[in-house]
Amino acid sequence: STQASALSSSALQTGLRVPLFDLSSSPATSPATSPPASSPFERIDDVIMGGVSSSRFEPSAASASDHWTFSGILRNDGGGFCGWRTKAFETPLNANGFEGVYLKVRFTSDDEPEKRTYKLTVRDDQTRGEYVRQGMFRVPKATGNQFSTVLVPFSSLVAVRGPVINPNAPPFKKDTVFQIGMVISKFKIAASMETIEDFRDGPFSMDISEVGFYSEENVGDVSPSTFPVMSNTTKSSFGRSVLGPVFKLVFSEKSRRRRAALNVLVDRAEKKNGAKKGLGRAWLQSVSVSYRNRARSRGYLSAASTFARRLVADSVKFFLGKTLKLLVFYPIFA
């Protein structure tokens, strides 16, 4: 296991702000422990929806850095969200006595942070099921180099499946926090799929220097044993062992880039001819160009073999993708 970026107990006496992750060091570590072998955070982008958004959450490249940077590119096609989350805690955090989670943030990519939706995500069970708790918050415009402290009360968290509220979920359990993260998205938290009207896609960048629990009243000393310890091992399960390879096949980076290229062909044909071409015809056009190029360079037999392999592979990906979207949806943050 890896000890996360916790502060020493001597820094935890105020009770108003209890940092869980000190991102002012690179890599983020506890002063009392050695640096982790890998990042304690995981990326969660809209791959599961066939989207092409991408992001990174890593120590800032700037010299004398006092933060990590969450940056990437948001795309409307197929998804519209990016996020990060901690690896699952081996032992859950007990947040009794605290009112919520705070983040110290600084939005740096543009002066329109209000054109995205920001959500804190918290998981209060160990199953990694399809429901998580989320609470929306606002990120203010940056003022110079100053960080702003954002407060997300536990009382604002609702159970969601994707961005859709689950009204029948049990109450949030503050004493079993197994995971914390955040998402930047075009989706609101609502009773149905609802997006913000003036969503701004494209590049984004946000600096984060600290994440922790807060309370308006003094809660006393907090034992270091409550600090999150990340699991470096992945528990085997039928769903993970079976669906994992399927997800990699259908939602790989290569598949998403090919899908994006096909969408570009469709858009170009629509602008040129005034009628929508469809992905099927765009796929045939793409394959025919590849076939001719390979036939000239490698011969017709090699070109025919490559065409057959791609036809089978793309057909399998298409039907698996449709099935997963219909039956599984995306059981994560959006």
Side-chain angles (χ1 to χ4, degrees):
S1 64
T2 299
Q3 181 74 31
S5 49
L7 294 184
S8 62
S9 59
S10 61
L12 303 177
Q13 302 303 318
T14 62
L16 297 178
R17 303 284 187 271
V18 177
L20 296 173
F21 307 109
D22 175 20
L23 305 178
S24 62
S25 59
S26 178
T29 59
S30 164
T33 60
S34 59
S38 60
S39 170
F41 304 103
E42 301 173 334
R43 185 185 70 172
I44 42 167
D45 298 334
D46 56 18
V47 181
I48 196 69
M49 288 293 290
V52 292
S53 300
S54 62
S55 68
R56 305 179 67 157
F57 186 41
E58 58 189 3
S60 172
S63 59
S65 172
D66 61 350
H67 60 272
W68 280 33
T69 298
F70 176 40
S71 61
I73 300 177
L74 283 167
R75 299 297 188 194
N76 265 317
D77 296 338
F81 66 91
C82 293
W84 58 264
R85 63 187 177 192
T86 63
K87 294 178 181 178
F89 305 147
E90 287 187 350
T91 302
L93 302 182
N94 187 341
N96 283 329
F98 295 98
E99 297 178 31
V101 174
Y102 77 90
L103 303 93
K104 289 186 177 180
V105 301
R106 179 175 62 197
F107 201 81
T108 59
S109 56
D110 54 73
D111 60 354
E112 295 182 320
E114 71 279 1
K115 291 190 176 182
R116 295 92 164 174
T117 299
Y118 308 89
K119 309 171 194 175
L120 175 77
T121 60
V122 179
R123 189 177 293 278
D124 61 352
D125 64 72
Q126 200 174 11
T127 63
R128 293 177 70 97
E130 55 189 299
Y131 290 105
V132 296
R133 312 285 172 163
Q134 288 189 338
M136 292 194 297
F137 61 91
R138 293 185 177 182
V139 173
K141 295 181 180 180
T143 305
N145 292 324
Q146 299 297 316
F147 283 84
S148 300
T149 299
V150 175
L151 304 181
V152 187
F154 288 132
S155 60
S156 71
L157 299 181
V158 295
V160 297
R161 182 176 185 259
V164 179
I165 296 174
N166 173 25
N168 301 317
F172 171 62
K173 297 175 290 185
K174 292 171 60 175
D175 59 343
T176 57
V177 175
F178 278 96
Q179 198 171 55
I180 297 174
M182 73 157 289
V183 172
I184 178 171
S185 172
K186 71 177 182 181
F187 295 101
K188 299 179 181 180
I189 298 176
S192 59
M193 297 284 283
E194 185 177 340
T195 62
I196 57 177
E197 295 180 358
D198 55 349
F199 170 67
R200 175 169 176 169
D201 62 358
F204 70 90
S205 182
M206 177 192 303
D207 296 334
I208 304 176
S209 66
E210 205 170 279
V211 180
F213 292 150
Y214 78 89
S215 175
E216 298 303 327
E217 298 182 358
N218 195 308
V219 296
D221 188 20
V222 179
S223 169
S225 64
T226 63
F227 291 158
V229 177
M230 313 298 181
S231 173
N232 284 335
T233 59
T234 301
K235 295 183 178 179
S236 176
S237 67
F238 174 79
R240 185 181 299 275
S241 60
V242 173
L243 293 181
V246 174
F247 277 24
K248 288 182 180 179
L249 172 67
V250 178
F251 302 116
S252 66
E253 294 285 344
K254 184 176 180 180
S255 296
R256 289 189 295 157
R257 287 196 299 269
R258 183 176 293 172
R259 176 84 178 191
L262 290 177
N263 285 330
V264 170
L265 289 176
V266 171
D267 291 340
R268 286 179 179 175
E270 185 175 359
K271 291 178 181 178
K272 182 178 179 179
N273 304 322
K276 195 167 183 66
K277 188 172 187 177
L279 281 177
R281 294 181 62 187
W283 181 88
L284 286 174
Q285 178 182 342
S286 173
V287 169
S288 64
V289 171
S290 298
Y291 177 84
R292 289 195 298 268
N293 290 338
R294 192 166 185 88
R296 283 195 295 265
S297 61
R298 300 289 184 86
Y300 288 101
L301 183 62
S302 176
S305 175
T306 301
F307 171 79
R309 289 198 304 270
R310 182 169 172 183
L311 175 63
V312 172
D314 287 354
S315 298
V316 170
K317 292 175 184 178
F318 176 80
F319 288 109
L320 282 177
K322 292 296 184 183
T323 301
L324 289 173
K325 286 181 182 181
L326 289 173
L327 301 182
V328 180
F329 195 49
Y330 56 107
I332 55 173
F333 313 70

